[in-house]
Amino acid sequence: MQPTTDPVASAVLAVVFLPFVAAGLVPLVYRLVGERTAYYAAAIALACFGLVASQYGTHGTVSFPWIRSLGVSLSFYVDGLSLLVGFLASGVGVLILTYSGGYMHGEPSQPKYYASLLAFMGSMLGVAFAGDLIALFVFWELTSLSSFMLIGHYQRQESSQYAARKSMLITVAGGLFMLVGFLLLHAVTGEFSIVYMLENPELVQEELRSAGLFLPVLGLIGVGAAAKSAQVPLHIWLPNAMEAPTPVSAFLHSATMVKAGVYLLGRFRPVLVSDEWQLLFAVLGLTTMTVAAILAVGATDIKELLAYSTASHLGLIVAGFGFVSELGGETGAFHIINHATFKAALFLVAGIIAHEAGTRKIENLGGLKDDLPITAGITAVAALGMAGVPPFNGFYSKELLFESAWEAAVHAGGGLAYIYPAVAVLGSVFTFLYSIRFLMLFFGEKPTGLHKVHSPPKAMLAPPLLLGVIAGLVSIGGVLGTFGIHFGPFDNFVTEVWASTVAPDADLHGGFSYYFPDHLTPAVAMSAVTLVLGAVAYPFYGTLHRGVNRVTDVNVLRANWYYNSAVFGLNGLSDRTSRVVQNGLLRTYATWALASVAGLALAGYAATNVALPEFTNFAVTIPIALVLGVAIVGAVAVSIAPSHISGVLTLSILGFMVAVFYVLADAPDLALTQLVVETLLLVIFLLVLDKLPAFYGNTDRGKMVRDGVLSAVVGATVFVTVLVSTAATPEDGIAQFFLEEAVPQGGGGNVVNVILVDFRAFDTMGEIAVVAMAALSVLTLVAMRERGETQ
Amino acid sequence: MSTVIARTVTRTVVPIILVTAIALLLQGHNLPGGGFIGGVLTVTAFALIYVIYGLDYLEEELLHRNRDPLLESIRHGIVENYQVAFGVGLAVAVVAGLVPILFDYNFLYQSHWYIKPLPIYGKLHVASALAFDLGVYFVVVGALLTILGVVGTE
């Protein structure tokens, strides 16, 4: 199937912006219908799902100008991959929001919850459909922001705050790396359009290489994707994010947020795929897959187990995308779908367990199948899929990974490259182990202390059931595939997603289809090894579990330890810094501000190699010399003035001399202003002087030396700045324009005034607004102080 | 500071300052001056009165009234008048900017006319920018006097 129809602009726009508008209306809706807001939100998600579905089979761009002067447009691109993520975000959104109706019953601050969930869904849809680098970045960071709100939902709990801050720090920082990568891409290609890059992948990669920026761009985009998709060592935010209410965990960590990272890799795969790409992402993905699977075995909490498992499966997808061959793209595309179905189902199951059994500790749970038979059935399908046990859905995509890893090893000529398949098998063994452990929550004996578990409400049971059925259908599809019966539409869809992740002219081997293997291939052998090793190791699960925990108790081996040390260390540092820099003394503030401004300015001049201009035509007339001489005397007198009165008076000498200098330099307007302001200052000083202490007090010598040096430096900076800035003589200065146009256009002979009230009147208006504002602030501050409201 | 000399000089100088300030405001478009300078100079005159005669003098002796101020902490009712002054100034400036829109020009568009046959003076050059400058003047006077009054009270 070759989709050629163009997407409908209004539908695409509606998909992205409807959730935001709906989020804005949530407080109103909540006031009207209370807790049933969940169904309102679910209806919105369903509408989005419908809109996404209506664009199924289209392919193309919808574009609106945004920042014309920079070539940035608000454009949306519809293809297989974006439709897939769109379907996931909105479809799982429907289920999650329905489920929330049951789960969030009686929970606090629900309007905020639904509003941020809807906003999150909208940002995710924006990420999926963005056809422009800047638009993609904006929506990308919006997902970070809204997930911050969601993860920190229980905002009074310290652990929630910690988790929300951590995810925000890591994902937003990762996004900034990605932004730099995008800007480099723009610098090389001159385009912000993703579509352009997808249409000319070879050209773009060639340009990047010749500019020597290929590796930096690859690395920067990789950091962004790794932060979002929780790749080692940035995976640490994901387990903490389980602080969020369970539906949020299911949404963020199965279907959407973390998928943004793999989506990014899929999106840029056609453009950046290369040997370096394979080395970076195959290694990163396989490492994550294995490390996270091992950590999942060490987990003691069911949501923690699932969180690590998510990181592990994302590693699998990243590794899939990492392999250069077409198979790699296929692996990633297919596993995104499989993972979303079984992981969302499992998270919802975990929510049911936590909600109904009242605990999430693995050791306190067991034998749940008698009380929760339907849930047990769902879990069996989903967990076996997650384990990669044939014939369940995860098995097929893992087969693809094994196949591409094997192929990559063979292609590379063996040797070290066989580490790829070996690590893939190792990771899968641990995946098998923790998946079975999760399943065993429903079997075996009920531990003492676990009371009778109630059945969950229907709203909570239906969504995981639906997901389980989908996972089951995908599984059955594989078995049927062996007999030559395929789900045509499903295979077509996966083909389209696959096509989005490979170069436009790649060979797709006649499209995607999957079936239960009927003859021995290396991949089948690897699967068999995995299952056998897993089955052999399972009886020793307890030992492994303790072993993993013993290893992760060692600080230097934990990524989290580095994070905590860095964050808390920096906190301490900033506390100490603010105690030194902002100690409440005006003098200190002035010292730091002046010193840093002077330092930065001088460093800037030094860094840019500014040359001081030559002194030509440097002639001083006698009057000017005289005036400046008196000014210098005044300046010296200020610094040695014994009292405030004489200080102010001598300062005025300096001011008036400057005014006279302006007169001599043919600037009467400036002179007048200087004169008047100086007079006013003098008068105001006299007004407040008798309130001040008569003496300066005794300052110690060290401080005086410091202040002296500082004033010398500031003076030198200003001097150099004036020299440097007046040395520049632009070719076509604007002065001439004002001189010529002042009378005909402004109707005034005083050019300065004409500029103020005519050419730049808008600036002046802003300035007088500021003056008025300053007066109001003084008034308010004084009034507030007396009322004691400034605590 | 209130010596007889200072009082006498102030009494003479203040009217001169005020006249000069207004002259500066009016001639600003063609000669050195303008709303800002005129405003600051006007404030100087008031400040001088404050220094020499004290803060209460202006209100009680010159304006003959003793109003209760809006805010308890600010003892001088006249501060409210100052606030009105910069409020009015801001409004004048904005209106001066908006009027050209009525005549289908840009915001803040300025024009100027010559009123020719005038007795004695000859011809008078009127620029619409004067309205805007007047706004600037009032804002500067109002705002600076507010600050002066409030801080001076402390």
Side-chain angles (χ1 to χ4, degrees):
Chain A
M1 187 177 87
Q2 279 296 316
T4 46
T5 347
D6 279 336
V8 182
S10 54
V12 179
L13 264 191
V15 163
V16 176
F17 290 105
L18 179 65
F20 288 108
V21 176
L25 292 177
V26 160
L28 205 65
V29 174
Y30 188 78
R31 200 167 294 173
L32 290 177
V33 300
E35 289 203 338
R36 273 169 305 218
T37 310
Y39 304 108
Y40 154 79
I44 298 292
L46 191 64
C48 288
F49 187 79
L51 286 166
V52 176
S54 75
Q55 298 311 300
Y56 179 71
T58 63
H59 183 114
T61 321
V62 176
S63 191
F64 306 90
W66 186 8
I67 312 171
R68 276 174 220 260
S69 51
L70 295 178
V72 177
S73 57
L74 189 62
S75 70
F76 298 100
Y77 180 59
V78 181
D79 70 343
L81 188 61
S82 55
L83 282 173
L84 169 64
V85 178
F87 275 130
L88 286 180
S90 54
V92 180
V94 176
L95 302 180
I96 296 294
L97 287 163
T98 313
Y99 180 89
S100 296
Y103 187 89
M104 295 301 285
H105 179 67
E107 293 274 335
S109 49
Q110 293 193 18
K112 189 188 84 179
Y113 172 81
Y114 290 114
S116 20
L117 210 52
L118 278 173
F120 178 78
M121 191 178 80
S123 339
M124 200 59 212
L125 288 166
V127 168
F129 288 104
D132 179 277
L133 292 175
I134 298 301
L136 176 59
F137 172 74
V138 170
F139 285 115
W140 180 276
E141 295 295 43
L142 273 178
T143 62
S144 298
L145 283 180
S146 43
S147 69
F148 172 77
M149 300 285 293
L150 289 168
I151 294 172
H153 180 71
Y154 301 113
Q155 57 199 39
R156 302 248 176 268
Q157 283 176 20
E158 214 162 285
S159 53
S160 286
Q161 295 170 0
Y162 173 80
R165 199 158 46 222
K166 192 186 209 178
S167 76
M168 175 98 161
L169 263 178
I170 293 180
T171 55
V172 170
L176 295 179
F177 277 92
M178 184 183 81
L179 177 65
V180 176
F182 285 175
L183 294 179
L184 288 181
L185 261 178
H186 171 71
V188 171
T189 59
E191 282 280 344
F192 276 120
S193 161
I194 295 176
V195 185
Y196 165 83
M197 291 169 199
L198 290 177
E199 278 165 1
N200 310 286
E202 281 168 17
L203 180 69
V204 170
Q205 192 174 131
E206 210 170 278
E207 281 178 334
L208 279 174
R209 281 186 193 281
S210 61
L213 286 174
F214 181 74
L215 281 182
V217 167
L218 187 64
L220 289 165
I221 291 181
V223 170
K228 205 73 158 181
S229 277
Q231 300 297 296
V232 166
L234 302 176
H235 65 282
I236 49 173
W237 67 267
L238 198 58
N240 287 100
M242 70 182 175
E243 287 297 333
T246 301
V248 173
S249 310
F251 196 32
L252 263 61
H253 307 141
S254 61
T256 52
M257 169 107 158
V258 292
K259 288 286 193 298
V262 290
Y263 163 79
L264 184 73
L265 292 185
R267 182 49 84 223
F268 282 95
R269 191 173 184 274
V271 182
L272 297 176
V273 73
S274 59
D275 289 341
E276 295 95 326
W277 169 280
Q278 167 160 323
L279 188 66
L280 177 61
F281 290 113
V283 170
L284 180 69
L286 288 174
T287 313
T288 305
M289 177 180 166
T290 310
V291 170
I294 294 174
L295 289 171
V297 169
T300 51
D301 176 304
I302 48 177
K303 275 179 80 179
E304 188 190 0
L305 185 149
L306 290 177
Y308 279 124
S309 146
T310 299
S312 168
H313 282 274
L314 290 167
L316 197 163
I317 300 171
V318 169
F321 278 145
F323 290 115
V324 172
S325 60
E326 278 83 18
L327 269 177
E330 195 179 1
T331 311
F334 192 32
H335 200 68
I336 289 180
I337 301 174
N338 287 335
H339 176 243
T341 52
F342 68 65
K343 190 52 63 65
L346 288 176
F347 261 115
L348 298 183
V349 165
I352 292 176
I353 296 176
H355 209 253
E356 306 302 335
T359 178
R360 297 198 316 229
K361 287 267 170 273
I362 292 174
E363 55 190 37
N364 296 342
L365 290 165
L368 293 170
K369 77 169 176 338
D370 299 330
D371 293 331
L372 305 168
I374 306 175
T375 317
I378 300 167
T379 312
V381 174
L384 290 174
M386 179 161 82
V389 173
F392 293 96
N393 60 353
F395 167 74
Y396 304 105
S397 39
K398 207 175 62 188
E399 281 281 298
L400 284 172
L401 176 79
F402 285 162
E403 215 174 316
S404 38
W406 184 262
E407 198 179 83
V410 172
H411 189 73
L416 270 181
Y418 279 105
I419 292 177
Y420 288 145
V423 174
V425 170
L426 180 66
S428 302
V429 171
F430 282 96
T431 306
F432 177 85
L433 286 174
Y434 70 72
S435 305
I436 300 301
R437 183 70 191 90
F438 189 87
L439 183 58
M440 292 310 280
L441 294 177
F442 288 86
F443 299 94
E445 266 183 43
K446 219 171 179 181
T448 47
L450 188 64
H451 57 84
K452 164 101 173 95
V453 181
H454 299 285
S455 299
K458 285 195 186 64
M460 285 176 70
L461 196 56
L465 185 63
L466 183 58
L467 287 164
V469 168
I470 295 174
L473 284 177
V474 176
S475 313
I476 295 169
V479 180
L480 291 179
T482 318
F483 304 107
I485 307 166
H486 296 287
F487 293 143
F490 181 75
D491 287 357
N492 281 337
F493 181 58
V494 180
T495 309
E496 255 182 69
V497 179
W498 181 14
S500 308
T501 63
V502 291
D505 53 350
D507 171 24
L508 297 184
H509 310 288
F512 172 82
S513 62
Y514 66 111
Y515 49 86
F516 196 76
D518 53 0
H519 59 277
L520 190 67
T521 59
V524 173
M526 285 158 77
S527 280
V529 171
T530 306
L531 292 177
V532 170
L533 279 180
V536 169
Y538 188 74
F540 306 103
Y541 191 88
T543 320
L544 281 172
H545 173 77
R546 281 187 296 278
V548 170
N549 280 329
R550 206 166 299 140
V551 172
T552 51
D553 279 344
V554 181
N555 274 339
V556 282
L557 293 177
R558 283 190 309 146
N560 218 12
W561 179 77
Y562 292 98
Y563 170 83
N564 284 340
S565 315
V567 169
F568 292 113
L570 283 175
N571 259 349
L573 184 69
S574 69
D575 280 351
R576 280 195 296 280
T577 312
S578 63
R579 268 204 295 280
V580 173
V581 178
Q582 305 178 329
N583 60 357
L585 290 176
L586 198 56
R587 178 184 283 263
T588 321
Y589 287 76
T591 308
W592 283 102
L594 290 173
S596 45
V597 168
L600 284 175
L602 290 178
Y605 296 140
T608 48
N609 279 329
V610 174
L612 288 181
E614 289 175 28
F615 287 95
T616 49
N617 300 329
F618 185 69
V620 181
T621 57
I622 292 174
I624 287 185
L626 199 65
V627 166
L628 291 182
V630 175
I632 291 171
V633 172
V636 174
V638 172
S639 60
I640 56 171
S643 73
H644 286 299
I645 297 271
S646 53
V648 169
L649 288 175
T650 39
L651 190 63
S652 291
I653 298 178
L654 184 59
F656 286 118
M657 284 308 130
V658 173
V660 177
F661 172 74
Y662 284 145
V663 173
L664 294 175
D666 297 332
D669 237 44
L670 275 183
L672 201 54
T673 312
Q674 170 77 18
L675 210 59
V676 173
V677 171
E678 196 60 46
T679 311
L680 183 65
L681 269 185
L682 180 65
V683 174
I684 291 179
F685 261 127
L686 291 176
L687 189 67
V688 296
L689 262 188
D690 48 334
K691 306 280 182 208
L692 292 177
F695 300 108
Y696 287 109
N698 294 321
T699 39
D700 65 79
R701 194 160 285 275
K703 273 191 186 147
M704 278 173 68
V705 170
R706 185 196 68 186
D707 290 353
V709 170
L710 181 63
S711 11
V713 170
V714 172
T717 310
V718 175
F719 182 68
V720 172
T721 307
V722 170
L723 277 185
V724 169
S725 54
T726 50
T729 45
E731 293 278 311
D732 47 348
I734 53 171
Q736 199 58 34
F737 167 81
F738 286 130
L739 284 177
E740 280 166 9
E741 298 296 326
V743 175
Q745 284 202 20
N750 179 359
V751 179
V752 176
N753 193 264
V754 169
I755 292 176
L756 282 179
V757 298
D758 192 339
F759 293 117
R760 290 269 177 271
F762 201 58
D763 292 357
T764 311
M765 184 165 283
E767 281 154 20
I768 59 175
V770 170
V771 170
M773 196 65 78
L776 273 181
S777 332
V778 170
L779 204 59
T780 320
L781 277 179
V782 171
M784 295 279 275
R785 188 179 58 186
E786 302 264 320
R787 280 192 212 163
E789 287 176 12
T790 48
Q791 294 300 308
Chain B
M1 244 178 274
S2 295
T3 61
V4 177
I5 299 177
R7 283 165 184 263
T8 316
V9 168
T10 305
R11 203 167 289 183
T12 326
V13 158
V14 164
I16 300 177
I17 297 180
L18 289 178
V19 170
T20 316
I22 291 166
L24 280 179
L25 166 68
L26 293 180
Q27 70 168 20
H29 214 48
N30 285 313
L31 295 166
F36 180 75
I37 299 174
V40 177
L41 199 59
T42 311
V43 175
T44 315
F46 281 80
L48 203 58
I49 298 176
Y50 277 164
V51 172
I52 304 299
Y53 290 95
L55 286 163
D56 298 325
Y57 175 78
L58 185 73
E59 198 169 349
E60 288 166 13
E61 301 295 320
L62 288 188
L63 302 173
H64 299 297
R65 61 173 182 192
N66 204 351
R67 268 174 40 189
D68 282 335
L70 202 64
L71 299 170
E72 290 165 19
S73 57
I74 297 155
R75 290 202 304 273
H76 296 271
I78 200 162
V79 167
E80 282 168 45
N81 301 39
Y82 298 153
Q83 281 171 266
V84 171
F86 72 72
V88 167
L90 216 49
V92 167
V94 172
V95 170
L98 288 177
V99 167
I101 295 180
L102 295 180
F103 299 98
D104 220 15
Y105 291 113
N106 289 331
F107 182 58
L108 281 171
Y109 179 87
Q110 309 291 6
S111 183
H112 60 105
W113 311 271
Y114 291 92
I115 302 173
K116 265 207 180 126
L118 272 186
I120 308 170
Y121 201 83
K123 71 173 182 181
L124 184 62
H125 181 191
V126 180
S128 65
L130 185 64
F132 185 76
D133 235 2
L134 207 63
V136 175
Y137 175 84
F138 278 120
V139 170
V140 171
V141 170
L144 287 184
L145 280 179
T146 306
I147 297 175
L148 197 65
V150 171
V151 175
T153 310
E154 288 301 302

